[in-house]
């Protein structure tokens, strides 16, 4: 069986990584996404954007949760691709080998002028602070995180590999995404339109829920360890090849 997991911030919530759009605890409840996560915001106040991403970089020392570990363990029974919107490396640290990062990685930094990869040491951040001056490249450019900001294009390789992973899937499982950020949110829709069974794992309904073949209103850490065993009851009459 070929399974493609499409994950969002909720996948890492059980590891202690805040999501974006939760009304109370979400990152965007406290910060304007277009100020802190856009090329325009970077141009206007790189020291604020850099500080925010440096804080998140240092936050990502948390551990994979039971959901990440379950997805990695599925590799023993199925051919598994992970298509993730997350910039953390928790899927890889749990043991997933085929992970496509649609929105980049918080562990890679590069020069915003000559694009060369940053190999220096990032500043420490014992406590979150409002501003940190980004390091400078030898070309004079500013060092920025290798994440996709609003208004920026997704990396071609990750996008093409993700589309292929959806097209080849016998089953798609979307986990912990609010399904509102495009073009990524178009991938589960594409799978549903192709008639591929799609299971949505999310404690809350999303704009995609009506297109899902089945919805599991549980957290990632609770739902995923037993999801494969529950397929016959979740997808009656649809036994992915
Ligand atoms: N398990 C599963 N799902 C959860 C959990 C959990 N423990 N906790 C929250 N969720 C769900 C929420 O109900 C919500 O629908 O995860 C979803 C998180 O949604 P968002 O915060 O909007 O995150 P995401 O969909 O990944 O955002 C997409 O937006 O801000 C940009 O680039 C950023 O990649 C991100 C993109």
């Amino acid at each position: 069986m070929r399974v493609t997991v499409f994950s969002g911030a909720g996948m890492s919530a059980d590891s202690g990584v805040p999501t974006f759009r939760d009304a109370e605890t979400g990152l965007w409840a406290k910060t304007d996404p277009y100020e802190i996560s856009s090329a325009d915001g970077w141009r206007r106040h790189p020291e604020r954007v850099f500080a925010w991403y440096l804080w998140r970089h240092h936050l990502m020392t948390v551990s994979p949760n039971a959901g990440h570990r379950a997805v990695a363990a599925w590799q023993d029974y199925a051919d598994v691709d992970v298509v993730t919107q997350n910039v953390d490396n928790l899927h890889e640290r749990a043991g997933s080998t085929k992970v496509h990062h649609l929105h980049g990685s918080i562990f890679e930094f590069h020069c915003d002028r000559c694009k060369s990869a940053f190999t220096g040491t990032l500043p420490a951040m014992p406590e979150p602070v409002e501003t940190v001056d980004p390091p400078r490249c030898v070309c004079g450019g500013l060092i920025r995180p290798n994440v996709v900001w609003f208004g920026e294009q997704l990396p071609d390789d990750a996008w093409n590999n993700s589309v292929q992973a959806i097209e080849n899937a016998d089953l798609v499982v979307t986990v912990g995404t609010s399904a509102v950020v495009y073009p990524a949110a178009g991938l589960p829709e594409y799978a549903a339109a192709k008639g591929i069974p799609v299971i949505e794992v999310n404690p809350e309904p999303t704009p995609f829920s009506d297109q899902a073949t089945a919805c599991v209103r549980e957290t990632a850490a609770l739902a995923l360890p037993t999801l494969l065993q529950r397929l016959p009851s979740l997808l009656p009459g649809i036994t992915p090849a």
Side-chain angles (χ1 to χ4, degrees), residues 32 49 51 70 75 80 84 87 107 136 139 147 167 175 199 205 216 231 239:
D32 175 348
V49 174
Q75 295 172 133
V80 181
T84 189
V87 294
F107 295 97
R136 280 212 178 260
C139 78
V147 299
E167 284 173 348
V175 187
I199 299 175
V216 177
L231 286 184
T239 324

Side-chain angles (χ1 to χ4, degrees), residues 139-241:
C139 78
L142 294 176
I143 300 301
R144 57 159 285 179
N146 207 11
V147 299
V148 178
W149 287 328
F150 288 104
E152 293 190 322
Q153 218 179 322
L154 276 55
D156 287 341
D157 288 354
W159 178 254
N160 296 334
N161 291 336
S162 299
V163 170
Q164 205 171 24
I166 292 284
E167 284 173 348
N168 296 342
D170 301 304
L171 171 68
V172 172
V173 181
T174 83
V175 187
T177 182
S178 57
V180 296
V181 176
Y182 288 79
L187 291 171
E189 294 175 354
Y190 178 42
K194 282 178 67 70
I196 298 167
V198 184
I199 299 175
E200 178 183 71
V201 175
N202 192 323
E204 305 294 330
T206 73
F208 176 74
S209 300
D210 295 347
Q211 297 169 64
T213 318
C215 295
V216 177
R217 297 278 166 250
E218 297 168 9
T219 64
L222 192 65
L224 299 179
T226 59
L227 196 76
L228 288 193
Q229 288 99 307
R230 290 192 270 171
L231 286 184
S233 61
L234 286 169
L235 305 171
I238 306 172
T239 324

Side-chain angles (χ1 to χ4, degrees), residues 8-10 14 19-21 28 85 103 176-178 181 202-204 219-220:
D14 300 311
T19 65
F20 294 95
R21 291 175 185 80
W28 298 151
Q85 299 166 89
H103 294 163
T177 182
S178 57
V181 176
N202 192 323
E204 305 294 330
T219 64

Side-chain angles (χ1 to χ4, degrees), residues 13-181:
D14 300 311
S15 296
V17 181
T19 65
F20 294 95
R21 291 175 185 80
D22 182 282
E24 305 302 317
T25 61
L27 294 166
W28 298 151
K30 305 182 191 82
T31 310
D32 175 348
Y34 298 97
E35 281 295 308
I36 215 75
S37 193
S38 70
D40 197 37
W42 173 252
R43 264 189 299 280
R44 280 187 282 117
H45 38 241
E47 70 292 344
R48 281 188 53 207
V49 174
F50 190 81
W52 195 75
Y53 279 94
L54 189 63
W55 166 67
R56 290 188 65 213
H57 170 86
H58 288 302
L59 187 69
M60 297 302 182
T61 52
V62 295
S63 302
N65 61 59
H68 295 108
R69 293 194 294 276
V71 169
W74 293 354
Q75 295 172 133
D76 299 342
Y77 315 100
D79 181 3
V80 181
D81 277 85
V82 177
V83 172
T84 189
Q85 299 166 89
N86 299 344
V87 294
D88 62 51
N89 61 355
L90 295 171
H91 280 297
E92 289 92 337
R93 284 167 51 205
S96 287
T97 53
K98 289 200 285 177
V99 184
H100 315 293
H101 284 270
L102 289 171
H103 294 163
S105 164
I106 198 114
F107 295 97
E108 295 163 12
F109 288 72
H110 66 270
C111 170
D112 69 353
R113 188 184 293 172
C114 70
K115 312 299 176 204
S116 59
F118 176 70
T119 55
T121 306
L122 290 170
M125 187 184 261
E127 289 302 316
V129 292
E130 278 292 308
T131 62
V132 176
D133 289 333
R136 280 212 178 260
C137 174
V138 285
C139 78
L142 294 176
I143 300 301
R144 57 159 285 179
N146 207 11
V147 299
V148 178
W149 287 328
F150 288 104
E152 293 190 322
Q153 218 179 322
L154 276 55
D156 287 341
D157 288 354
W159 178 254
N160 296 334
N161 291 336
S162 299
V163 170
Q164 205 171 24
I166 292 284
E167 284 173 348
N168 296 342
D170 301 304
L171 171 68
V172 172
V173 181
T174 83
V175 187
T177 182
S178 57
V180 296
V181 176

